[in-house]
Amino acid sequence: MNRFNLLPVLFVALILGLWELFVRILAVPVFILPPPSCILTVALVRAPQILPHAAITLTEILLGIGLALCTAIPLAIIMFARPSLEKAFAPFLVASQAIPVFALAPLLVVWLGYGIASKVFMAWIIIFFPICISLLEGFKSCDKEYRVLFRLMGAPFFKTLILLYWPWALPRFFAGLKLGVTVATIGAVIGEWVGAQQGLGFLMIQSNARLQVDLVFAAILWLTAMGLALWWLVGVLEKKIIKWK
Amino acid sequence: MLKVSCVTKYFKDQKIFSNLDLTVDRGRFHVIVGPSGCGKSTLFDGLTGVTPLDGGSISWNHESLLNLRYHAAYMQQKDMLLPWFSLLNNALLPAKTSGQDMKKAKKQAQSLFSRLGLKGYESHYARQVSGGMRQRCALVRTLMFNRELILLDEPLSALDAITRRSLQSLLLLLQTEFGKTILMITHDIEEALVLADEIYLFSKKPMSLSRHYVLDSPKPRKFNDPILLNIKADVLDKLEGDLMNEQV
């Protein structure tokens, strides 16, 4: 591990160490703020209880990502091919991000029910925007000289898209996807807070009501791990696909 | 025969060139020389339809055309190789985009790779080879357009002097072996003298023809040919004179 990889590890260790010391020295009750060692113990010991909930949340997130990919990619292509449509769609896209997801969550539960659909939809709302916009900007960033070359070769739009625009936009697409998968947890958990029978959000609400703050933190820890794992997986996929970078 | 008559181009109110005439007979190698920023590349942009011309006419083999987009292959200063494709796949791009028979195109590209000294590098990527090899690959790609007319916009200017010399002989092959009609822009007067059948020397603001040289000596030529040295001196005199007038 080099110096640059070690720095964030040391920084996190320092924060956790100070937290542990603060709680121990001031004898803060566990139901107010548990020490990190206690949170880690609960996260591991009660994993059999937490993991089924985590699996539900992960499913919601993955379905949200899948749905976002299926909708954001075609829309980005359409907006790129027809700039007039970009102008028409842009206000709706921006509005979808301007509305707080907390405000939408109760409505989605009413419309889509307490099941998985409302949470998937919440995750979709959050992931869709960064993927769509980053891909669109990636397409637009293509050098004019390359566009000219393809035009002179007589390439139709779809072939230019496949051979030039898509690979060109991939680094930006992955940047958007990384951002999307990291924040996707927010959408799913908010959906679970508003109305659910299972999932990490549901577990947090339940534990909080019973003053099991250590379990709330353990759920947050698992959620963070999930977000980091997704971010890492996208990074691995990016390296596998964008070999020329 | 390529015939460009009275072409005109403005940028807002600024005249870039007007009533410009050019003729390139089939199988000939014509070179355009002129000071930086005089509008040579704008002329190529106009000819290829990248930007519209404001007047004039273009014809190729007596067929009147709006531009040469579907009739000329174009090679630019940069190699423009796509980093996600191997050299062979880069060379195959014109075939892929125009829906040619890929089996036949691959065979043609491989034969060109051998001819231009790229054999064994088909699966390499642009980042893995030298600038000279990348430019050779760009040359193969240009030939893969399978168009008789070729426009070259300073194709060797980004290369070092030694690599440039070795690639000049390959540019000559386009004419001698592949029978192409070539119109090339260059800043390098020696390069123009070695390659051209005719040289158009343009002056700046607005771009206009100031000299036209016909070079009859056989190719390949040597730089120390007294006739070529005389033409070189004349071109340099003219360019320096223009520069002095501009500064005054």
Side-chain angles (χ1 to χ4, degrees), chain A residues 142-156 159-160 162-169 171 241-245, chain B residues 45 48-51 68-70 72 74 76 78-85 93-99 125 127 141 145 147:
Chain A
C142 182
D143 272 1
K144 190 192 160 201
E145 286 165 313
Y146 285 94
R147 294 176 190 222
V148 168
L149 177 71
F150 271 73
R151 212 188 304 165
L152 293 175
M153 288 193 288
K159 278 198 175 165
T160 311
I162 300 292
L163 298 169
L164 176 66
Y165 294 132
W166 177 255
W168 191 281
I241 292 175
I242 308 176
K243 287 177 184 162
W244 61 88
K245 216 172 141 187
Chain B
D45 284 348
T48 50
V50 173
T51 53
L68 298 166
R69 185 181 294 182
Y70 299 109
Y74 190 23
Q76 289 144 300
K78 287 194 226 162
D79 56 65
M80 308 296 293
L81 298 182
L82 297 173
W84 46 87
F85 285 137
L93 275 178
K96 283 180 184 171
T97 52
S98 59
Y125 287 83
R127 65 176 182 278
R141 186 187 58 205
F145 275 72
R147 291 173 187 169

Side-chain angles (χ1 to χ4, degrees), chain B:
Chain B
M1 180 174 74
L2 171 68
K3 195 168 165 56
V4 177
S5 309
C6 300
V7 287
T8 301
K9 179 71 191 173
Y10 285 88
F11 268 135
K12 292 177 183 165
D13 291 335
Q14 196 192 354
K15 190 197 285 181
I16 307 298
F17 50 80
S18 74
N19 297 320
L20 208 67
D21 296 318
L22 274 176
T23 306
V24 187
D25 288 324
R26 288 181 81 170
R28 299 278 286 175
F29 198 137
H30 287 206
V31 175
I32 293 172
V33 179
S36 289
C38 75
K40 304 182 298 289
S41 294
T42 309
L43 173 66
F44 268 26
D45 284 348
L47 293 179
T48 50
V50 173
T51 53
L53 289 165
D54 296 315
S57 64
I58 302 166
S59 73
W60 169 241
N61 291 339
H62 308 293
E63 184 190 348
S64 186
L65 302 166
L66 195 62
N67 56 57
L68 298 166
R69 185 181 294 182
Y70 299 109
H71 297 81
Y74 190 23
M75 184 172 163
Q76 289 144 300
Q77 186 179 342
K78 287 194 226 162
D79 56 65
M80 308 296 293
L81 298 182
L82 297 173
W84 46 87
F85 285 137
S86 66
L87 295 187
L88 183 65
N89 279 325
N90 264 294
L92 284 169
L93 275 178
K96 283 180 184 171
T97 52
S98 59
Q100 288 177 31
D101 176 358
M102 285 312 292
K103 212 172 163 184
K104 208 172 146 188
K106 202 171 173 183
K107 213 171 162 185
Q108 185 192 356
Q110 277 168 336
S111 143
L112 287 169
F113 264 60
S114 296
R115 187 67 192 89
L116 300 193
L118 286 172
K119 195 172 168 59
Y121 290 92
E122 290 86 347
S123 55
H124 282 60
Y125 287 83
R127 65 176 182 278
Q128 297 171 315
V129 297
S130 67
M133 291 177 96
R134 286 203 296 269
Q135 211 61 1
R136 279 169 204 237
C137 181
L139 207 56
V140 175
R141 186 187 58 205
T142 308
L143 285 167
M144 291 298 293
F145 275 72
N146 287 325
R147 291 173 187 169
E148 193 191 322
L149 178 62
I150 293 183
L151 304 179
L152 304 169
D153 188 355
E154 299 182 40
L156 310 181
S157 63
L159 302 171
D160 62 88
I162 297 165
T163 313
R164 203 183 311 160
R165 288 233 176 152
S166 72
L167 286 187
Q168 280 166 0
S169 57
L170 292 183
L171 288 184
L172 211 51
L173 277 187
L174 297 179
Q175 180 191 24
T176 55
E177 192 170 317
F178 298 101
K180 304 291 182 186
T181 304
I182 300 153
L183 183 60
M184 180 173 93
I185 293 172
T186 184
H187 276 127
D188 187 337
I189 300 159
E190 288 186 353
E191 187 172 279
L193 292 167
V194 166
L195 297 174
D197 295 318
E198 290 181 35
I199 297 175
Y200 292 96
L201 175 64
F202 284 111
S203 63
K204 207 174 179 179
K205 283 182 184 174
M207 185 170 84
S208 59
L209 185 67
S210 62
R211 294 271 200 284
H212 178 215
Y213 305 93
V214 179
L215 290 87
D216 294 325
S217 51
K219 298 178 208 172
R221 297 180 186 134
K222 292 210 167 124
F223 289 110
N224 55 4
D225 181 333
I227 300 167
L228 298 185
L229 289 174
N230 278 339
I231 295 174
K232 183 182 173 183
D234 191 50
V235 171
L236 286 173
D237 274 353
K238 177 68 188 151
L239 288 173
E240 277 167 12
D242 285 352
L243 195 66
M244 296 287 271
N245 288 338
E246 200 181 308
Q247 283 167 351
V248 170

Side-chain angles (χ1 to χ4, degrees), chain A residues 55-230:
Chain A
I56 295 294
T57 306
L58 184 64
T59 308
E60 291 161 1
I61 292 168
L62 290 177
L63 287 173
I65 292 168
L67 193 62
L69 287 172
C70 290
T71 48
I73 293 173
L75 189 65
I77 292 170
I78 289 167
M79 288 197 293
F80 178 61
R82 296 275 177 272
S84 55
L85 286 178
E86 186 197 345
K87 281 182 188 161
F89 287 138
F92 296 102
L93 280 173
V94 175
S96 76
Q97 298 304 298
I99 301 168
V101 280
F102 282 99
L104 277 180
L107 288 171
L108 288 174
V109 171
V110 170
W111 293 334
L112 299 171
Y114 286 89
I116 201 169
S118 54
K119 288 82 191 170
V120 171
F121 200 82
M122 286 286 291
W124 172 78
I125 288 175
I126 287 185
I127 309 163
F128 175 83
F129 187 77
I131 295 177
C132 185
I133 296 301
S134 57
L135 186 57
L136 180 62
E137 290 304 317
F139 289 149
K140 285 187 193 171
S141 71
C142 182
D143 272 1
K144 190 192 160 201
E145 286 165 313
Y146 285 94
R147 294 176 190 222
V148 168
L149 177 71
F150 271 73
R151 212 188 304 165
L152 293 175
M153 288 193 288
F157 175 77
F158 192 69
K159 278 198 175 165
T160 311
L161 178 74
I162 300 292
L163 298 169
L164 176 66
Y165 294 132
W166 177 255
W168 191 281
L170 273 178
R172 289 200 187 203
F173 166 75
F174 274 106
L177 187 59
K178 271 182 181 172
L179 180 68
V181 298
T182 316
V183 295
T185 50
I186 299 171
V189 167
I190 291 171
E192 287 168 356
W193 281 352
V194 174
Q197 302 296 322
Q198 48 199 347
L200 286 175
F202 167 79
L203 182 67
M204 282 180 211
I205 292 286
Q206 291 285 307
S207 312
N208 201 43
R210 292 174 192 146
L211 291 179
Q212 292 175 319
V213 178
D214 49 357
L215 192 54
V216 176
F217 271 104
I220 292 172
L221 189 64
W222 275 100
L223 202 60
T224 309
M226 210 186 289
L228 283 174
L230 286 170

